Amino acid sequence: MSLETSDHFFAQLPPLTDFAEVLVSRNYQELPEDWWLVVTDVEGSTQAIAEGRYQEINSLGGCTVAAVLNAVKPLVIPYVFGGDGASFCIPPGCVATVRNALLGCREMAATQFQLNLRTGLLPYRRVREEAQVLVCRFKKSEDLHQAIFAGGGMLEADRLVKLNADYHVRQSEGHAEADFSGFECRWQRVPSPLEVTVSLLVEVTAKELEEQLKDYQALLQKMQALLGNDEHQQPLSIEGMRLSFDRDKLASEARANSYMQAGSGFAWQVWKLRLINLVGLLLMKLGIRLGGADWGRYKSDAILSSDFRKFDGMFRSIFTARQKDLDGLTVWLEDQRQAGVLNYGVHVSDAAQLTCLVSQAGVHHIHFVDGCDGGYALAARELKQQQLTGKGKT
């Protein structure tokens, strides 16, 4: 790939429309060697979750997505939202602006949320010494083109950033300048359409890519056999999606806006969001078409553009299920763990939560899904415990 086309690496990947296709090795291309990797996550997230602050943690992850995507515009880059943070791949020409955006994210997390956001930035060449970043593009909807990763490189970048502070973004290397435009957090908890909402992480133990993908294919097939197709697993429903007018629920977006708009009070931002939600509620209820948007379709479009399942070298899914079907899946997962095939983490809640990225109100919007009350973060804690004690293949 030439330097002229390297910046557009992700946009030029052929889109896949069936999730099963992301588990086929020939559909992947390696990240350009001169690109960089970005990793963000909230430090001390387990304690913050215990204090009931998981929505804030989720919101900071969404804020970093908005800030980094705004920093690289108009380029389209591969990234994945992980609940308490996110990971990105960026071309070398964007390193300086992204570094400043990360400093802004860290400053906003500290001043508005009193949380520490770890921000890492490292060259792909360093990660490539241990693992590759292989990428394909899954077209979930017209608005949501998910980056799918294999090869272990994204997980290796996360490990390096957590182990080595040399990869952390330093204040001396830039200045805080983050644009959180597009970040929204305005929905109530979305109750499970069935009985439970499940946050699931699975990492197979096979070393070779082909065997890894084969094991993930078996997982996907087992989930479909026990839980049904994508429509049955979808954790969101039109009936369950309701805009919130609660101060605590709107607080995260209000804080981000207060940071960007110096001098605007938090209380004013909350009331502004309540007014916006009131207008949105009326537009959706009446099915009005306005500004290029069909507001009567907004909820169904949001469900279509939700990332309830993803793959970044680890399988991640938020799904709805009946308890007996979940029990069946858990038995299968445990059997596979005992056989040394995989490790997994599960967190069960009664609802999902949404963090949204809106580039044009009512028209272009994507929605990051996590489980309530701990979601991916608590599932990750269980997964790590299994990795420490599990068998694994040799």
Side-chain angles (χ1 to χ4, degrees), residues 10 65-66 68-69 76-81 86-89 135 143-149 154 307 310 312 357 366 368:
F10 184 63
V65 173
V68 172
L69 296 190
V76 179
I77 59 169
Y79 71 93
V80 61
F81 173 76
S87 300
F88 312 80
C89 304
V135 190
D143 285 337
L144 180 56
H145 287 224
Q146 289 179 253
I148 307 294
F149 298 99
M154 298 302 283
D307 72 337
K310 57 195 101 178
D312 62 352
L357 199 62
I366 59 178
F368 306 126

Side-chain angles (χ1 to χ4, degrees), residues 5 83 91 293:
T5 61

Side-chain angles (χ1 to χ4, degrees), residues 39-55:
V39 177
T40 71
D41 73 297
V42 177
E43 297 183 73
S45 58
T46 301
Q47 178 58 37
I49 290 169
E51 296 170 356
R53 305 183 66 188
Y54 193 67
Q55 180 191 315

Side-chain angles (χ1 to χ4, degrees), residues 234-392:
Q234 170 61 251
L236 308 178
S237 68
I238 291 175
E239 298 77 17
M241 290 183 64
R242 298 181 180 180
L243 290 170
S244 178
F245 294 87
D246 181 74
R247 175 186 179 277
D248 291 341
K249 183 62 182 175
L250 299 175
S252 294
E253 186 179 346
R255 288 173 180 165
N257 291 342
S258 295
Y259 173 82
M260 285 195 299
Q261 301 167 20
S264 65
F266 171 77
W268 183 84
Q269 289 288 351
V270 170
W271 279 105
K272 178 182 175 183
L273 292 175
R274 284 172 173 160
L275 179 60
I276 292 172
N277 273 2
L278 178 60
V279 173
L281 182 67
L282 292 173
L283 290 173
M284 286 186 280
K285 189 171 184 177
L286 298 174
I288 292 176
R289 293 175 178 267
L290 182 67
D294 181 353
W295 288 96
R297 286 187 47 83
Y298 190 89
K299 290 183 181 181
S300 57
D301 288 344
I303 291 172
L304 187 63
S305 296
S306 63
D307 72 337
F308 75 95
R309 184 174 54 201
K310 57 195 101 178
F311 184 69
D312 62 352
M314 178 188 300
F315 181 87
R316 305 172 187 265
S317 182
I318 309 294
F319 61 90
T320 185
R322 300 192 187 282
Q323 186 63 55
K324 65 178 182 64
D325 296 330
L326 173 60
D327 291 342
L329 178 62
T330 303
V331 168
W332 182 84
L333 288 168
E334 184 59 24
D335 287 343
Q336 295 296 299
R337 187 185 77 84
Q338 293 292 337
V341 175
L342 54 79
N343 292 303
Y344 67 94
V346 174
H347 178 262
V348 180
S349 177
D350 62 355
Q353 64 183 37
L354 290 174
T355 302
C356 309
L357 199 62
V358 179
S359 55
Q360 183 180 352
V363 181
H364 299 300
H365 46 100
I366 59 178
H367 305 266
F368 306 126
V369 187
D370 203 347
C372 287
D373 309 318
Y376 280 135
L378 292 188
R381 184 175 65 176
E382 181 181 338
L383 172 64
K384 290 174 185 175
Q385 290 172 345
Q386 288 192 6
Q387 289 171 332
L388 292 174
T389 59
K391 295 180 180 181

